[in-house]
Amino acid sequence: MGHLDHAAFGWLSPVLSYAMAAIGAALGLRCTVRALGSRGRSRRNWLITAASALGTGIWTMHFVAMLGFGVTGTDIRYDVPLTLLSLLVAMLVVGAGVFTVGYGKDRPRALVVGGLTTGLGVASMHYLGMAALRLHGSVAYDPLLVTASVGIAVVAATAALWAALNIRSAGAVALASLVMGAAVSSMHYTGMLAVDVRVAPSTSALPGATVMQFIFPLAVGLGSYLFLTSAFVALSPAAREHTAAPPPAVVEDASAERHTRTPAS
């Protein structure tokens, strides 16, 4: 059995991965709150942004944490198509959960269905990403810890969606995001504790890409997307700011009406 190292760079990868999860959660929650205060195309667009932020944040958290993962006695490579598929699954399944909450008329039911869907999507992304691992040997999992990691994912997702439905202030959203980031990180490392690798030494070349060839550049790109989208959301006016002042056309029409009115003699 190979020795597993989950923090080859010390605290750097766990802390950075937690930050990615918290940022993605904050952005996703904030966009969901905006969506619930909007209608029509605006609601749909906010929900799409929320889903992409949550999915990207969770995926980036997983693979930033995997930057510090190593197994004694074997190199590690990543299957590129499977890794990209895990990102797509994260966005699509998390999106399904977010849209369920965003458009659900029965809030409690939508919360349960959305939380279950999103949590299973997070777990699917994690284990699909693990299936992309290529190494000299075999990988097995402890069923009990796998079940625990899935349970944590479902509870964390449900709690996050509940926060989106019930929390409005920026401070409360920030606190909920920190909790969500901790929950997602806990799910990841619980899943990693379930891993058992039996190394079969070999001199043959492993298929796939190294972590620095593929995972690191992609994680940096997605992390940049999260920061840029966060800036956009922070600078875009909230719905109440749109309604606080009438549109320019309304102001102009009212002004013209006052000018054409003649005083009574």
Side-chain angles (χ1 to χ4, degrees), residues 11 13 15 24-25 62 104-106 116 122 127 137 170 181 241-242 247 253:
W11 285 100
S13 54
V15 170
H62 171 81
K105 299 188 184 303
D106 183 348
L116 182 62
V122 172
Y127 288 105
E241 293 168 346
H242 283 298
D253 290 346

Side-chain angles (χ1 to χ4, degrees), residues 62-248:
H62 171 81
F63 281 99
V64 167
M66 292 302 290
L67 292 176
F69 178 71
V71 181
T72 303
T74 178
D75 292 330
I76 293 177
R77 299 288 186 273
Y78 290 87
D79 182 284
V80 173
L82 264 182
T83 303
L84 292 176
L85 179 60
S86 71
L87 174 60
L88 182 62
V89 166
M91 290 189 175
L92 290 180
V93 184
V94 169
V98 169
F99 270 78
T100 298
V101 168
Y103 285 104
K105 299 188 184 303
D106 183 348
R107 286 287 176 86
R109 182 179 178 182
L111 180 61
V112 171
V113 174
L116 182 62
T117 303
T118 304
L120 292 177
V122 172
S124 299
M125 178 281 303
H126 175 88
Y127 288 105
L128 192 57
M130 291 301 295
L133 281 177
R134 297 293 178 263
L135 46 76
H136 292 302
S138 60
V139 179
Y141 294 91
D142 181 324
L144 184 61
L145 287 174
V146 169
T147 302
S149 69
V150 175
I152 292 172
V154 171
V155 171
T158 304
L161 294 176
W162 178 89
L165 288 172
N166 295 279
I167 292 175
R168 291 293 177 268
S169 71
V173 167
L175 180 60
S177 303
L178 294 176
V179 174
M180 178 65 176
V184 172
S185 296
S186 298
M187 177 268 159
H188 171 83
Y189 286 106
T190 300
M192 294 308 294
L193 286 175
V195 176
D196 177 30
V197 177
R198 296 194 175 275
V199 176
S202 173
T203 57
S204 61
L206 288 166
T210 67
V211 68
M212 289 301 176
Q213 287 174 336
F214 176 59
I215 300 298
F216 180 71
L218 187 56
V220 169
L222 292 174
S224 300
Y225 163 77
L226 285 177
F227 282 107
L228 291 174
T229 308
S230 298
F232 168 77
V233 172
L235 293 174
S236 63
R240 64 177 178 273
E241 293 168 346
H242 283 298
T243 57

